[in-house]
């Protein structure tokens, strides 16, 4: 195998690997953001002063 071919093979192997890592990190970050948003929405719903006791008139 000519030594000129080795860097080309490394690049061809690294590009899909880099794309896979980037997509995975993006997906993890998106999942984390969705989880935090859901948690914030749940905590807001729990602490919202609702009409538990209707006003006495």
């Amino acid at each position: 195998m000519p030594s000129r071919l080795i860097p080309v093979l490394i690049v061809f192997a690294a590009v899909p690997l880099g794309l896979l890592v980037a997509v995975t990190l993006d997906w993890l970050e998106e999942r984390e953001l969705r989880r935090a948003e859901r948690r914030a929405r749940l905590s807001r719903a729990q602490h919202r002063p609702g009409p538990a006791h209707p006003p006495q008139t």
Side-chain angles (χ1 to χ4, degrees):
M1 183 189 290
S3 62
R4 234 181 17 229
L5 197 59
I6 294 173
V8 174
L9 289 176
I10 290 174
V11 167
F12 270 102
V15 168
L17 193 63
L19 279 173
L20 182 70
V21 168
V23 167
T24 304
L25 287 175
D26 189 49
W27 176 74
L28 284 172
E29 188 180 355
E30 184 112 1
R31 195 178 69 163
E32 201 59 39
L33 282 172
R34 275 201 302 266
R35 185 182 296 150
E37 188 180 310
R38 191 177 329 124
R39 196 180 301 127
R41 201 178 306 127
L42 279 174
S43 84
R44 272 203 306 272
Q46 287 172 353
H47 297 302
R48 184 178 296 138
H53 303 287
Q56 302 288 326
T57 52

